[in-house]
Amino acid sequence: MAENKNNYAVHVRGVSKTFGAGTTAVTALKSVNFDAREGELLMIVGPSGCGKTTLLSTIAGTLQFDAGEIDVFGSALQKMSKSQTTAFRRQNIGFIFQEFHLIPTLSAVENVSVPMLINGASRAAAEKKAHALLAQVGLEGRGHELPTSLSGGQQQRVAIARALVHEPRLIICDEPTSALDKENGARTMELLQQVARAPGRCVVVVTHDNRIFKYADRMTEMEDGRIARVHEIKDGQSPEFIPN
Amino acid sequence: MYHIALKMLLGNRSKYIVLVSGITFSTLLMTQQCAIFCGLMLWTTGSIQNMRSKIWVTDPKVEQVNEVRQLRDTDVGRVRSVEGTAWAVPLFWGLQQAKLADGTFKQIQLVGLESATLVGRPYDVVAGRIEDVRLPNAVVIDELAIIRLSAGRAKPIGLGDTFEINDREARVVGICRTAKSFFGMPYIFTTYDQALQFAPKTRKMLSFILAEPAEGWTAEATARSIERATGLRAYTENDFFWATIRWYFRNTGIPMSFGITILLGFAVGVAVSGQTFYTFVLENLKHLGALKAMGASDGLLARMLILQALTVGFIGYGLGIGLTSLFGSLVLKKGEPPFMLPYQVPLGALAVVLFICIFAALLGIRQIRKLEPAIVFRG
Ligand SMILES: Nc1ncnc2c1ncn2[C@@H]1O[C@H](COP(=O)(O)OP(=O)(O)OP(=O)(O)O)[C@@H](O)[C@H]1O
Ligand SMILES: [Mg+2]
């Protein structure tokens, strides 16, 4: 990886993305400039359809963009081939989804071990690490259970363990708490906050859920495919504005 | 990741069972029908197997062993004198009526062996002596005859018992084992001369001439030599065997009706297992998409699918072949329906099963390649 300038984890310049063509074309990102720093938990908020998920997908390397530059920990995404992008995601990105996306026929440990296996680790090494991470998220001893026998909050914690097991530098979360109750949402965010504070890491969270705004270090507000405002948040304080 | 692929497959118990039973049923249907077909084809050559001879000489028009066109008695001498022939003997073969103790009639296949040499004699005599067919009115019957000809007797027909062939008394002096024939009738062996007495008189009575190549001659060369010298048709044993089987292929509906069932087996395999596997992939697309987002390459996901498909294929195939073998071992004990499983049949079925699996996996792989990893963020 190239030298990382200004402690930026993610550095987005002039990124545009249009879906479809002709009369049905939707421009979801309009020359977006955006940064996330190492060691921070950054939230992206904004009204439905403003392009939050689209921005997150381009940063994560799961969606190709039309113009602009994206630098993630020194890697320039616009210069990568498809297979290089796949390898980049495999090594550098941890994913946390709204719907958890755990594989129902695999035990918690097996689910957590998947990213390491994709990276070519042995089964024994992957499962050892997976057990350790499950313990970190408070699920010690429940590794052999299937996702269906765990509560929603527990499933999301399994998903967090899975997002961290291969030690990625960037953790990408789309609506991680919207399927959870208040208590489990808070627990999830506390975990993500700890993760973000670890050196050389960054957590980007897209959310609608104003109950969790207080966990953000900074908050980026989007409107209609653009970044409208960026808020610095003082420790432990809820920001005074409420989007929507 | 391969154990993950297997867990994904086995964890979906109901799909897995449908997949495996589809392949099992398909394999069973294909191999079992093929085996019955092969068995039936083998039955058509029953007489060739029962009366072993290196060369069969027939009327020029004869195309297979179950078709008899009588030759002249003098033809035996003509064949004997052909260069490359060590010896040649007459054989009588004909369907005749046997009258049983209870007064009913049964069809039999009467075989008359040249009495000096008994060439064409049954090779597995289980009671009595084949040489005793030279005694007046003597016959050697096969085990099927015991079942067929015992009606109206206190105990099954055996050595020393008599019955009638075309109003002439026949006395049993031996019992032998024979290969089943296409007509499913018992074989009754006697001498050539006595066979002519049992059978109704016609102008020509000689059915086949059995011949042996001279030393230094191949059966093939002798057969050609006989054909050139006599204008008769001369088959080597192997040629006659395949000519007979080819004849039934061309001139009966048997291959067609079996072919349809075998195709049905194939269709079941494709429809049930191929389809189910494809829906299995579609249902898993969400998870496969997540794996793709997490950095699994198309190649890795494709190998996982192929592993899943092959696992189902090999297990289903194994069960199917197992069931066919079980069916075969039961059937062979009973003697019918016909059954023969040459190694080409399971091998062919394996190829078909692999084709079905690879085909299903390829359909799934196409879906995976089209899959955008970004879908994981969409509800
Ligand atoms: N694959 C796609 N094809 C076509 N249009 C799309 C696609 N993905 C997103 N869009 C459009 O792009 C715009 C931005 O969508 P996006 O999902 O990024 O919004 P969002 O801010 O995440 O919304 P929400 O809060 O509802 O999740 C929307 O108008 C959406 O309809
Ligand atoms: Mg969204």
Side-chain angles (χ1 to χ4, degrees):
Chain A
M1 239 180 261
E3 189 51 41
N4 194 6
K5 39 196 168 186
N6 308 329
N7 273 0
Y8 284 134
V10 183
H11 191 63
V12 175
R13 282 297 168 268
V15 165
S16 300
K17 174 72 188 178
T18 301
F19 291 106
T23 49
T24 56
V26 177
T27 300
L29 297 179
K30 300 170 182 165
S31 193
V32 169
N33 296 326
F34 165 91
D35 295 307
R37 298 175 195 145
E38 267 187 36
E40 79 174 352
L41 191 158
L42 181 103
M43 279 189 193
I44 305 175
V45 298
S48 185
C50 70
K52 304 184 295 294
T53 298
T54 306
L55 177 59
L56 198 66
S57 306
T58 56
I59 296 169
T62 58
L63 184 70
Q64 281 178 312
F65 46 97
D66 304 331
E69 294 171 2
I70 298 181
D71 195 288
V72 177
F73 286 106
S75 299
L77 297 194
Q78 70 278 4
K79 291 183 186 154
M80 290 181 186
S81 68
K82 205 174 161 197
S83 65
Q84 284 172 324
T85 320
T86 306
F88 164 81
R89 289 201 301 271
R90 168 155 81 224
Q91 289 153 11
N92 299 297
I93 311 288
F95 288 92
I96 297 172
F97 313 101
Q98 177 177 352
E99 304 292 344
F100 319 139
H101 278 308
L102 298 175
I103 296 173
T105 53
L106 302 183
S107 68
V109 164
E110 285 160 346
N111 265 295
V112 172
S113 68
V114 162
M116 280 187 75
L117 296 170
I118 292 177
N119 273 297
S122 73
R123 182 177 175 178
E127 291 189 357
K128 189 168 170 227
K129 188 85 185 289
H131 275 295
L133 272 150
L134 282 172
Q136 264 184 46
V137 299
L139 289 172
E140 192 153 23
R142 314 223 29 196
H144 297 290
E145 293 183 33
L146 291 178
T148 44
S149 66
L150 299 172
S151 72
Q154 290 168 333
Q155 288 185 44
Q156 192 60 304
R157 278 187 272 149
V158 172
I160 293 173
R162 180 179 63 182
L164 300 176
V165 74
H166 52 310
E167 300 179 0
R169 302 185 72 184
L170 180 62
I171 321 291
I172 293 286
C173 320
D174 198 4
E175 310 276 6
T177 58
S178 66
L180 302 177
D181 60 23
K182 187 174 175 212
E183 202 177 312
N184 277 305
R187 179 109 199 243
T188 297
M189 289 314 295
E190 278 159 21
L191 276 167
L192 288 175
Q193 203 169 38
Q194 278 174 32
V195 170
R197 303 259 156 94
R201 282 261 174 85
C202 175
V203 177
V204 179
V205 177
V206 161
T207 188
H208 271 117
D209 184 356
N210 57 25
R211 297 171 303 186
I212 65 166
F213 286 173
K214 61 176 180 232
Y215 295 98
D217 296 315
R218 280 192 312 144
M219 190 170 280
T220 298
E221 213 188 325
M222 282 187 82
E223 264 169 29
D224 191 25
R226 290 194 176 84
I227 306 294
R229 276 170 289 276
V230 179
H231 308 268
E232 303 276 344
I233 294 168
K234 292 183 202 92
D235 242 3
Q237 275 191 329
S238 272
E240 58 282 8
F241 87 103
I242 306 284
N244 297 339
Chain B
M1 280 304 277
Y2 298 114
H3 71 283
I4 297 284
L6 291 179
K7 284 240 167 150
M8 287 173 78
L9 173 70
L10 300 179
N12 197 334
R13 192 67 27 135
S14 58
K15 274 262 149 46
Y16 173 69
I17 289 171
V18 174
L19 280 168
V20 167
S21 24
I23 294 287
T24 301
F25 186 66
S26 176
T27 306
L28 174 66
L29 212 58
M30 288 188 292
T31 53
Q32 186 241 34
Q33 289 295 309
C34 276
I36 292 179
F37 177 72
C38 291
L40 199 60
M41 286 295 117
L42 194 65
W43 278 11
T44 66
T45 65
S47 291
I48 299 174
Q49 298 168 61
N50 285 326
M51 290 158 265
R52 303 299 304 271
S53 171
K54 288 191 180 132
I55 296 169
W56 291 68
V57 183
T58 69
D59 180 271
K61 293 269 157 47
V62 165
E63 293 178 276
Q64 53 113 342
V65 70
N66 298 307
E67 178 188 10
V68 177
R69 286 169 188 260
Q70 272 72 25
L71 302 164
R72 284 196 196 83
D73 290 338
T74 52
D75 287 335
V76 181
R78 289 173 65 214
V79 171
R80 265 182 200 141
S81 61
V82 170
E83 197 198 351
T85 309
W87 45 254
V89 297
L91 184 83
F92 174 88
W93 183 93
L95 298 180
Q96 305 295 333
Q97 297 279 347
K99 188 177 178 194
L100 311 189
D102 66 353
T104 58
F105 291 90
K106 276 263 154 41
Q107 279 226 303
I108 57 161
Q109 309 184 72
L110 185 65
V111 178
L113 311 169
E114 197 247 359
S115 73
T117 59
L118 299 181
V119 169
R121 56 164 28 102
Y123 45 86
D124 192 3
V125 176
V126 292
R129 283 165 16 107
I130 184 65
E131 289 77 11
D132 289 345
V133 287
R134 294 182 184 122
L135 300 173
N137 297 336
V139 293
V140 170
I141 65 173
D142 69 3
E143 287 178 328
L144 180 62
I146 299 177
I147 300 166
R148 294 286 172 81
L149 304 183
S150 292
R153 290 176 185 276
K155 60 186 181 63
I157 194 164
L159 295 183
D161 289 338
T162 60
F163 62 99
E164 282 180 14
I165 302 174
N166 297 330
D167 294 335
R168 278 181 71 98
E169 191 181 74
R171 195 160 46 85
V172 177
V173 297
I175 292 166
C176 63
R177 281 205 188 104
T178 55
K180 257 239 163 72
S181 85
F182 187 61
F183 297 116
M185 287 162 210
Y187 281 95
I188 309 291
F189 292 89
T190 185
T191 62
Y192 183 74
D193 299 324
Q194 299 202 72
L196 301 192
Q197 304 301 315
F198 282 123
K201 271 268 160 314
T202 57
R203 198 164 57 84
K204 296 193 284 181
M205 300 285 278
L206 176 58
S207 313
F208 298 104
I209 299 167
L210 305 182
E212 177 84 3
E215 214 163 298
W217 286 67
T218 62
E220 184 60 37
T222 302
R224 294 296 80 80
S225 172
I226 292 171
E227 286 188 344
R228 268 197 310 276
T230 63
L232 299 173
R233 185 91 171 82
Y235 290 98
T236 65
E237 186 174 39
N238 189 48
D239 286 348
F240 208 24
F241 180 89
W242 288 110
T244 300
I245 286 179
R246 272 200 301 278
W247 189 90
Y248 279 88
F249 249 89
R250 277 202 307 269
N251 296 293
T252 67
I254 303 170
M256 175 70 109
S257 60
F258 277 92
I260 288 171
T261 319
I262 292 162
L263 266 181
L264 191 74
F266 175 70
V268 166
V270 172
V272 175
S273 299
Q275 261 285 327
T276 311
F277 190 76
Y278 189 58
T279 47
F280 168 75
V281 171
L282 290 186
E283 281 170 20
N284 266 317
L285 220 47
K286 201 171 64 172
H287 307 306
L288 295 169
L291 293 178
K292 200 163 171 174
M294 287 188 265
S297 64
D298 286 352
L300 174 62
L301 294 174
R303 290 195 297 279
M304 288 170 68
L305 280 200
I306 288 172
L307 174 69
Q308 291 170 336
L310 290 184
T311 303
V312 165
F314 279 115
I315 293 174
Y317 172 78
L319 289 175
I321 291 289
L323 287 176
T324 297
S325 312
L326 190 71
F327 171 84
S329 68
L330 294 178
V331 148
L332 287 179
K333 239 181 252 161
K334 229 180 109 219
E336 41 186 280
F339 188 92
M340 185 180 69
L341 198 60
Y343 74 93
Q344 289 93 338
V345 170
L347 216 59
L350 180 63
V352 170
V353 166
L354 289 181
F355 169 80
I356 294 173
C357 292
I358 298 292
F359 177 72
L362 284 180
L363 285 182
I365 289 168
R366 225 181 51 145
Q367 289 295 322
I368 288 177
R369 294 181 66 95
K370 282 199 301 196
L371 191 63
E372 283 292 335
I375 65 148
V376 290
F377 291 120
R378 310 253 162 234

